[in-house]
Amino acid sequence: MDDYDQTAKNNFLYERYRYLGKFTPQSFLFNANLQEFSQRVCYLCNLQTLGKLSSQECYEEIESLWQKLTLSFKTLQTDDKDITE
């Protein structure tokens, strides 16, 4: 598979949307983290629907991802306060 095919595959599987909010580095990074969270939750739900993952495993994975997203949000909010002060 050449580089173009690999890039096209990645763009299809890991589609990203541009950030439209007020730009700050923290907002931009959180938006990227939120998009990754959303993508992973979608994959987990699909795996659970297909029977490849139990409901409990799916729940635990999503809970873990949520905790990471929450930590990311709190960390970025703290960084934002440090910058503006």
Side-chain angles (χ1 to χ4, degrees), residues 4-51:
Y4 177 77
D5 290 338
Q6 185 65 36
T7 301
K9 178 182 170 186
N10 285 339
N11 287 340
F12 176 76
L13 291 175
Y14 308 110
E15 185 174 5
R16 299 285 185 193
Y17 297 96
R18 64 187 187 139
Y19 180 66
L20 299 176
K22 178 183 173 190
F23 181 81
T24 64
Q26 292 79 10
S27 297
F28 185 76
L29 286 173
F30 181 71
N31 181 266
N33 293 341
L34 185 60
Q35 287 189 46
E36 182 177 347
F37 169 81
S38 174
Q39 188 72 44
R40 288 180 180 225
V41 167
C42 183
Y43 285 146
L44 288 167
C45 290
N46 289 336
L47 288 170
Q48 194 277 326
T49 299
L50 293 171

Side-chain angles (χ1 to χ4, degrees), residues 19-84:
Y19 180 66
L20 299 176
K22 178 183 173 190
F23 181 81
T24 64
Q26 292 79 10
S27 297
F28 185 76
L29 286 173
F30 181 71
N31 181 266
N33 293 341
L34 185 60
Q35 287 189 46
E36 182 177 347
F37 169 81
S38 174
Q39 188 72 44
R40 288 180 180 225
V41 167
C42 183
Y43 285 146
L44 288 167
C45 290
N46 289 336
L47 288 170
Q48 194 277 326
T49 299
L50 293 171
K52 304 290 183 183
L53 200 61
S54 73
S55 296
Q56 185 63 34
E57 290 171 317
C58 185
Y59 172 81
E60 290 169 2
E61 288 290 327
I62 292 172
E63 179 68 24
S64 174
L65 291 172
W66 178 255
Q67 289 173 359
K68 290 176 186 175
L69 183 66
T70 302
L71 179 62
S72 164
F73 178 76
K74 289 178 182 177
T75 302
L76 291 169
Q77 292 295 74
T78 302
D79 289 348
D80 188 34
K81 289 178 186 172
D82 291 343
I83 290 172
T84 58

